Amino acid sequence: MDRTRMSSSRTAPLRRSDIPSAAVPPRRTSSTGAVLGAILDHGPVARSTIARLTGLSPASVTGHCGVLIGRGLVREGPETAGPRGLGRPHIPVEIDTARYLIAGAHVAVTHTTLALMDLRGHPVAEERLPHTSTEPADVLGRVAEGLRRMLAAHGAGRTALALGFATGHWVDPAAGVVVHHPQLGWRDVPVREVLAGATGLPVHVDSHARALARAEQLIGVASTRASAVVLFVGNVVDAAFVSSGSVHQGPRFGAGNVAHLPVGTGDGGATCVCGVPGCLQSEVSEPAMLLRAARQGLRVDTFPELLERAVEGEETAVSVFRRRARTVGRAAAVLLDMFDPEVLVVVEPSSGRLDPCLAELRAAAAERSLVCDDPERAVVPSSFTGHVLATAGPAVALGALHDDPLAPWPALPAVS
């Protein structure tokens, strides 16, 4: 397949068999990455504690910490005495947030979200850019321009280490290509190549569901680290699967396409590109929500406006979101039984802002699932409600840094 040109074709979707399997080995966290992860989780933390947490020898941990300090990713804190003043003092290490930033871009159907994050995953700045065009060259050009402006305003002397890019549908992270995004009309868009050339930064690309799964692992709730399903519900509906600590991508990077699960009756939902009435996307996507609200007499211009009406208690808006929650709960039950994860994370705004919706979703999942015996534990909202899209883009690059902190990152000193 020729991926050298950017395309916004809106012809029939590609089939998975059209793309050859990628000969990419599964991701394994290096020992240095494990040390960096322990410092992210527990810092400031003693080297002896890192050794206990990672199973590495104290001498090995000391060596890895030295490399991380040399690269400016970690710094030493002030000397600390042992418990109650007993034992030898130690010098803890922690993530260095003073030198570098991670940049991110999330491209949704109607807008792009730009964000800056420090190396601890704390937000620094975010900006929403409504699309003036969805042509790839226009969207990516505005990403590069907006990023330069954001770094000038909020960089505060810190250097951007990398740019993470996330969007929905089918994304090939190995090639840095958006294979197919039907709502944007994108096909085979070489995002990494274009943005690396425009920004001069290393660019890491992935689907937003996988990006958010990685964010949950790095800076979210600890229970999502080893075994989880992340279900994203927005204009696009998709999912990501975490097993044994790794985010599953599939041999053609197409894992997570749950948009067309048959969960509804097809009465009153939006028409989906798949042509199957009652599929998940046609029942619960943001356009479907606006359409359903309008058919019940509540006309609003945007999905955020509909959500705010529900938060304010407007009855029709609340009922529309509660119906959505029940439908998402039915899909969640399927995913719970299919993958039996430790936890299923629902990335859907009403689940984090409207208690009745989360309760409806959990009840529907528990009613239909064979394995969900504790829905309050098994089904949880996103750790990043209110900042989901601003988290997704930077999380792609932050995840790449933790996977291989010894890689030749241009902004970092070389490993000696």
Side-chain angles (χ1 to χ4, degrees):
M1 176 178 294
D2 181 10
R3 290 186 174 174
T4 60
R5 61 183 180 85
M6 289 192 291
S7 170
S8 58
S9 169
R10 296 183 182 271
T11 54
L14 297 171
R15 298 296 181 187
R16 301 296 165 101
S17 58
D18 295 337
I19 307 294
S21 298
V24 177
R27 180 176 59 206
R28 292 183 175 86
T29 303
S30 66
S31 295
T32 310
V35 169
L36 183 60
I39 298 170
L40 177 66
D41 284 346
H42 301 282
V45 60
R47 291 167 174 82
S48 59
T49 302
I50 297 172
R52 177 174 55 80
L53 292 167
T54 61
L56 298 170
S57 71
S60 179
V61 168
T62 297
H64 292 306
C65 285
V67 170
L68 293 170
I69 290 169
R71 303 209 88 184
L73 302 176
V74 168
R75 64 188 175 198
E76 292 183 328
E79 186 176 274
T80 302
R84 297 182 181 179
L86 301 176
R88 296 175 59 187
H90 63 261
I91 300 176
V93 288
E94 60 187 344
I95 300 295
D96 190 341
T97 60
R99 302 189 190 189
Y100 302 108
L101 293 172
I102 298 292
H106 176 277
V107 174
V109 174
T110 61
H111 64 278
T112 294
T113 302
L114 299 180
L116 297 176
M117 176 184 286
D118 70 21
L119 297 190
R120 284 197 60 81
H122 296 151
V124 173
E126 68 177 87
E127 182 179 355
R128 177 169 168 155
L129 304 175
H131 293 326
T132 57
S133 161
T134 58
E135 287 298 314
D138 294 334
V139 173
L140 299 181
R142 295 190 75 203
V143 166
E145 177 187 353
L147 179 60
R148 285 191 291 269
R149 183 176 62 251
M150 182 174 282
L151 284 169
H154 303 284
R158 290 179 283 186
T159 300
L161 189 60
L163 170 61
F165 179 97
T167 192
H169 289 290
W170 191 357
V171 179
D172 181 342
V177 168
V178 176
V179 179
H180 189 216
H181 193 308
Q183 282 101 324
L184 289 175
W186 288 17
R187 181 170 291 178
D188 296 329
V189 177
V191 170
R192 176 184 296 151
E193 177 184 340
V194 173
L195 286 180
T199 66
L201 293 172
V203 178
H204 301 270
V205 181
D206 211 338
S207 77
H208 59 201
R210 291 196 292 259
L212 289 167
R214 198 72 178 103
E216 291 285 354
Q217 290 183 305
L218 290 168
I219 54 177
V221 178
S223 62
T224 63
R225 302 270 169 104
S227 172
V229 171
V230 175
L231 176 59
F232 183 97
V233 182
N235 270 307
V236 173
V237 179
D238 53 14
F241 314 111
V242 178
S243 179
S244 301
S246 294
V247 181
H248 179 65
Q249 296 176 328
R252 287 165 293 276
F253 305 104
N257 185 2
V258 300
H260 309 300
L261 287 175
V263 294
T265 61
D267 56 336
T271 301
C272 182
V273 294
C274 73
V276 178
C279 77
L280 181 59
Q281 184 155 288
S282 69
E283 291 286 319
V284 302
S285 68
E286 292 178 7
M289 294 287 287
L290 292 173
L291 178 60
R292 197 175 299 279
R295 288 175 174 171
Q296 295 183 30
L298 176 61
R299 297 188 177 276
V300 294
D301 294 329
T302 66
F303 179 82
E305 183 182 352
L306 179 63
L307 178 60
E308 288 306 317
R309 296 291 296 273
V311 171
E312 293 166 359
E314 203 284 329
E315 291 185 3
T316 299
V318 171
S319 70
V320 167
F321 275 102
R322 293 183 71 161
R323 184 187 188 281
R324 183 196 217 192
R326 291 192 295 273
T327 305
V328 172
R330 291 197 291 272
V334 173
L335 296 173
L336 286 167
D337 287 355
M338 186 178 296
F339 294 98
D340 191 18
E342 185 72 20
V343 65
L344 185 142
V345 181
V346 180
V347 185
E348 190 277 327
S350 70
S351 299
R353 298 187 62 187
L354 296 169
D355 289 340
C357 289
L358 182 58
E360 293 264 16
L361 196 158
R362 284 170 165 164
E367 179 183 356
R368 290 173 175 259
S369 170
L370 296 176
V371 302
C372 182
D373 54 1
D374 185 356
E376 290 193 4
R377 179 200 58 79
V379 181
V380 299
S382 168
S383 300
F384 314 106
T385 298
H387 300 279
V388 166
L389 303 186
T391 300
V396 180
L398 189 64
L401 175 65
H402 279 262
D403 289 340
D404 193 1
L406 302 185
W409 298 81
L412 297 180
V415 178
S416 58

